Amino acid sequence: MYIVAIFSPLIGCLIAGVLIFIKHNTTNNNDVTASRRIDLVAQIFTCGAMLLAAIAAIETFVEAQISGLNPNVKILNWVDSGSLQFSWALNGDTLSLLMVTMITIVSLMIHIYSIGYMAHDKSIPRFMAYLSLFTFFMLILVSANNLVQMFLGWEGVGLASYLLIGFWFDKASANAAAIKAFVVNRVGDFGFAIGILAIFLLFDTVNFESIFRIVADKSSATLNIFSTEFHALTIICLLLFIGAMGKSAQLGLHVWLPDAMEGPTPVSALIHAATMVTAGVFMVARMSPLFEYSEIALTVVTFVGASTAIFAATVACVQNDIKRVIAYSTCSQLGYMFFALGVSAYSAGMFHLITHAFFKSLLFLGAGSVIHAMSGEQNMQKMGGLYKLIPVTYIFMWIGSLALAGIWPFSGFFSKDLIIETAWAAQTNIGYYAFWLGILTAFLTAFYSWRLIILTFHGVSRADEKTIARVHESPMTMILPLSFLALGALFIGLLTLEYFVGARAPDFWGNSIFVLSIHSALENAHDVDIWVKFLPLSCAIAGILLAYLLYSIAPEVPKALSTGFRRTYKFLVNKWYFDELYQRIFIEPAFSLGRNLWKAIDDLLIDGVGPNGISAAVRFIAQRAAAIQSGYLYHYAFVMLLGVAALITWFLVRDYS
């Protein structure tokens, strides 16, 4: 069944891929009925394949938990070259099975949702094929039992994300966003690839089991880089973390994530909630036996995670595009996950990853329902008063926002608050840094969540009459997935608390996560002071009240604040000027270098001196020689006399010299 869970999406992708070409022929023949049937077949097969994958994943996960045995499945021998030996195999420990189950369930909901959301699109088979391909590569990533297989899934996810973000390729902004995501992720992937190479040099293997078995013996090993000795595991972990920063959009390599909103809303939900952006979190958790032996690497992870959380939260507070608000909230929540990993609370980070997958998918798909009702409008400043027109969507957005804000008893309360408590319980300077930024982020998260709710659903409508007249509730194919995800946002945190971080956690995780005894933040989190436990919830409630005050009671105040604090507002609207900074530091110099190399090497050297230059010289000589062929006898006689004179002169000079 494990193989079925992994490869079913690929089968759905291949079937939908064949239907793309079949539909192309029907489109050329203007057969609308046949084209619609092909769309329906593509949707049935891809959704059916995802349903089969989800059922198989759930069954495999439950059986593994009951039996206590990991279903490790070897598919084939892949590489056998010297000491480099590894198979194509599926890792079946709790960490992998949990991710496979979550990915297949959430992806199934998004596939079903896409039936309604993309109903009027002209390229439905292509879209469904891309969704399934993306899911397949993500499953390959999380089920890998070696680093090379993981890297294959890692790169496959990057490729599929490029195709999905740029799905509407006739839009210049979509193409630019797809290229940006692809290029930025290549920066992180380069670090990941070098990290894999360094692991092979140190451990002489790329298999997880073999690496983890001997990592303690290598804990003090060094790597010689430019005649300088460095702690090997620190260098390796930092390189791996660079890869995680790219995939999970952490501060510095985050710039692709908001622009990825150019893709269809189901794509945003798939990339931002349950799959691609969580790959970095999963990878760090998977490599916990290495990170545990590098305090420097853990400190860097904590610092970057906490800094990302506050950065993204501040930017989300001033965004007007409904999808961008949720996108920056994703970036912020990923920061929470990373600083949990940084204080060695890996299970707490994974706990938040799972709860976040449900409520963030709910928010994105709910936003898609709003956009669908508003005829494609995404600007919250042009909405308002929608709660009466789309009440079901309104309820779902409430549930998702309460979970995101961390209000009891919604899922986000249990996972996010625990992360903040573990940061304090770490009792380190970097832990306190993460704690206070986490507290401030919790306040801002609640604030921008309710700013979104109020601007979108409350107050007086700011849309034009034609748009309002067309507002309608989403079809059942969109409502049903929202209902399921809402249940997850409501109950998944409470139901799984004991298994992830409670009394049953050691048996639940088994050997899939490794933590040194000196790193006891998670255990200490249960005994922190009462004010530490209640402060995140208190700040979340304060954020909601502030949003209500500013946007419901005194809506003129936000505009006055943006005018009075123009520089701060502009700084936040421009996303801390990261894009402009990268434009100056990297993009413009790269273009300038390329332009100069083109002019100096291509134009002057290759074109001027190389083959083009030689051909030009030959052509010039030939043209001049051709001018001699005039057809007049006296011209030929004159040339012959010149030749004879030249020969005589040469002989005379030779004899007398």
Side-chain angles (χ1 to χ4, degrees), residues 252-550:
L253 295 178
H254 69 280
V255 293
W256 67 270
L257 191 68
D259 292 344
M261 296 299 100
E262 291 293 337
T265 297
V267 173
S268 303
L270 192 62
I271 291 177
H272 290 70
T275 53
M276 181 172 169
V277 295
T278 62
V281 178
F282 167 80
M283 186 265 284
V284 174
R286 168 62 70 207
M287 305 306 292
S288 59
L290 275 68
F291 279 85
E292 283 296 285
Y293 289 100
S294 175
E295 293 294 335
I296 294 175
L298 290 175
T299 300
V300 171
V301 172
T302 308
F303 176 80
V304 172
S307 302
T308 302
I310 189 64
F311 155 75
T314 59
V315 176
C317 291
V318 297
Q319 298 298 308
N320 291 320
D321 187 307
I322 187 171
K323 287 174 65 176
R324 286 184 177 264
V325 174
I326 303 172
Y328 277 108
S329 81
T330 297
C331 193
S332 182
Q333 297 303 303
L334 288 166
Y336 274 117
M337 298 175 205
F338 272 109
F339 78 67
L341 302 179
V343 297
S344 298
Y346 302 97
S347 55
M350 292 302 301
F351 185 27
H352 194 53
L353 186 154
I354 298 301
T355 61
H356 175 264
F358 284 93
F359 66 71
K360 188 52 60 70
S361 298
L362 176 63
L363 284 171
F364 266 117
L365 297 186
S369 185
V370 173
I371 296 167
H372 183 268
M374 292 291 293
S375 304
E377 181 60 65
Q378 297 183 194
N379 190 344
M380 296 185 299
Q381 299 292 344
K382 298 180 181 180
M383 299 180 186
L386 295 179
Y387 76 97
K388 295 181 180 179
L389 302 174
I390 46 173
V392 178
T393 300
Y394 174 59
I395 293 171
F396 289 143
M397 291 296 288
W398 254 81
I399 294 172
S401 297
L402 286 168
L404 174 62
I407 304 299
W408 186 92
F410 296 85
S411 295
F413 166 81
F414 299 98
S415 56
K416 187 170 72 175
D417 282 29
L418 179 63
I419 288 175
I420 295 173
E421 291 163 15
T422 58
W424 179 267
Q427 299 179 354
T428 60
N429 290 332
I430 193 65
Y432 295 140
Y433 172 82
F435 171 80
W436 288 112
L437 289 190
I439 291 292
L440 181 56
T441 301
F443 170 79
L444 295 176
T445 301
F447 172 79
Y448 66 67
S449 297
W450 249 253
R451 174 178 179 267
L452 184 152
I453 292 290
I454 295 169
L455 288 179
T456 304
F457 295 101
H458 292 272
V460 180
S461 175
R462 297 174 295 277
D464 59 80
E465 294 182 359
K466 291 183 179 179
T467 302
I468 291 296
R470 293 194 296 266
V471 173
H472 59 281
E473 193 61 84
S474 299
M476 288 304 295
T477 51
M478 296 170 65
I479 294 298
L480 286 176
L482 286 170
S483 303
F484 182 86
L485 293 170
L487 291 174
L490 278 166
F491 301 116
I492 196 71
L494 182 61
L495 293 176
T496 60
L497 179 64
E498 284 296 306
Y499 293 92
F500 280 103
V501 293
R504 299 185 181 182
D507 293 332
F508 177 76
W509 290 109
N511 296 322
S512 61
I513 290 176
F514 176 78
V515 182
L516 290 174
S517 58
I518 60 173
H519 297 149
S520 56
L522 186 59
E523 289 77 11
N524 296 338
H526 301 291
D527 300 320
V528 295
D529 295 336
I530 193 70
W531 69 268
V532 176
K533 290 183 176 295
F534 280 95
L535 188 58
L537 179 60
S538 303
C539 288
I541 295 172
I544 293 173
L545 293 175
L546 180 62
Y548 182 75
L549 174 65
L550 292 181

Side-chain angles (χ1 to χ4, degrees), residues 137-248:
F137 277 123
M138 191 66 198
L139 292 173
I140 290 296
L141 191 160
V142 299
S143 64
N145 82 330
N146 63 79
L147 283 162
V148 177
Q149 188 177 329
M150 177 184 279
F151 190 73
L152 173 66
W154 192 275
E155 291 300 294
V157 166
L159 172 62
S161 69
Y162 169 81
L163 297 173
L164 285 168
I165 295 169
F167 178 76
W168 289 323
F169 55 82
D170 53 340
K171 292 171 57 180
S173 58
N175 284 327
I179 293 171
K180 187 176 184 179
F182 193 81
V183 171
V184 173
N185 272 277
R186 296 293 74 72
V187 176
D189 295 352
F190 180 73
F192 188 24
I194 299 299
I196 294 173
L197 177 60
I199 288 175
F200 179 71
L201 291 175
L202 182 64
F203 294 93
D204 201 33
T205 181
V206 292
N207 293 291
F208 293 137
E209 185 179 354
S210 302
I211 294 170
F212 301 158
R213 191 186 307 118
I214 61 175
V215 65
D217 299 331
K218 301 287 186 179
S219 60
S220 58
T222 60
L223 287 176
N224 188 290
I225 303 174
F226 301 117
S227 302
T228 304
E229 297 292 330
F230 294 92
H231 185 229
L233 291 182
T234 296
I235 297 298
I236 288 171
C237 289
L238 291 176
L239 289 170
L240 295 178
F241 183 58
I242 291 172
M245 287 176 63
K247 274 291 181 288
S248 297

Side-chain angles (χ1 to χ4, degrees), residues 637-655:
F638 179 70
V639 172
M640 291 173 65
L641 287 173
L642 287 177
V644 172
L647 283 173
I648 293 172
T649 303
W650 184 77
F651 279 111
L652 291 172
V653 171
R654 187 188 66 175
D655 293 338

Side-chain angles (χ1 to χ4, degrees), residues 24 66 134 178 180-181 326 349 399 557:
H24 180 71
I66 294 174
F134 185 99
K180 187 176 184 179
I326 303 172
I399 294 172
V557 174

